[in-house]
């Protein structure tokens, strides 16, 4: 039990003292998560809304593909992206392997099905009378669209929060595509795995604390948004 308490004390010292190696991993995590989330929401939210709102040929097949990717092994995602962005791959000339943007590509693919599936579910769970009622009242298509988005906002916020939690905590994709390079592509999760394996328990605890604080802050903001919208 003592080594746990000693590790916690040392972890607080590292955080309070602004240990550069620790905060380098934190900064890299924030950057890659922001890039991946931006791409995920820009692509996933409209795609999910379309999947839940519109009727088109092949909709059931598209939904099946999205739901299949929800359970896709992350190591396979990392492997496929690695094959594409490695030097011998079709995108090798872009130099994405072992870089933050390369990691963001893999994490975006991880987050996309989450946002698409949950957004589509949020739209489909709306009252089916909403659209006919709005059209009966003379609403134009853009008004119907924005009203539908407004009604589905809580489900869409949940989709974004779930994708964030999955992206920020991923280790396999970050390790394969980033290489866990010190001062460059080392994230909180890859650093925790490395430092714990080396016996540096305090550093692992320090980074774990930061990761929990980040997750708590994001969920706090999401809860505040829900409360403000419901008021």
């Amino acid at each position: 039990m003592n080594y746990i308490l000693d590790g916690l004390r040392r972890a607080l010292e590292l955080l309070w003292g602004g240990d550069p190696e620790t905060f380098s991993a934190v900064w890299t995590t924030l950057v890659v998560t922001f890039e991946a989330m931006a791409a995920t929401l820009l692509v996933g939210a409209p795609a999910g809304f379309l999947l839940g709102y519109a009727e088109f040929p092949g909709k059931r097949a598209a939904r099946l593909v999205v739901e299949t990717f929800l359970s896709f092994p992350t190591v396979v995602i990392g492997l496929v992206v690695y094959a594409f962005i490695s030097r011998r791959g079709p995108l090798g000339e872009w130099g994405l392997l072992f870089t933050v943007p390369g990691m963001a590509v893999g994490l975006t693919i991880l987050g996309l099905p989450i946002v698409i599936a949950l957004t589509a579910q949020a739209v489909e769970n709306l009252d089916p009378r909403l659209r006919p009622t709005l059209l009966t009242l003379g609403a134009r298509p853009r008004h119907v669209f924005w009203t539908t988005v407004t009604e589905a906002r809580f489900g869409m916020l949940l989709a974004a929060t779930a994708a964030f939690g999955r992206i920020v905590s991923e280790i396999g994709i970050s390790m394969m595509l980033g290489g866990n390079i010190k001062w460059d592509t080392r994230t909180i999760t890859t650093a925790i795995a490395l430092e714990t394996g080396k016996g540096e328990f305090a550093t692992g605890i320090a980074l774990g604390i930061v990761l929990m604080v980040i997750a708590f802050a994001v969920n706090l903001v999401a809860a505040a948004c829900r409360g403000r919208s419901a008021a």
Side-chain angles (χ1 to χ4, degrees), residues 15 30 45 47 53 56-57 72 108 136-137 147 158 172 186 206:
L15 294 176
L30 293 176
Y53 184 78
F56 54 89
F72 218 58
T108 298
T136 301
L137 294 174
T147 302
L158 175 63
R186 182 168 297 173

Side-chain angles (χ1 to χ4, degrees), residues 47-68:
F49 184 88
L50 180 64
L51 186 61
Y53 184 78
E55 294 294 334
F56 54 89
K59 178 177 179 177
R60 295 183 64 180
R63 189 63 182 269
L64 180 61
V65 171
V66 170
E67 292 176 350
T68 300

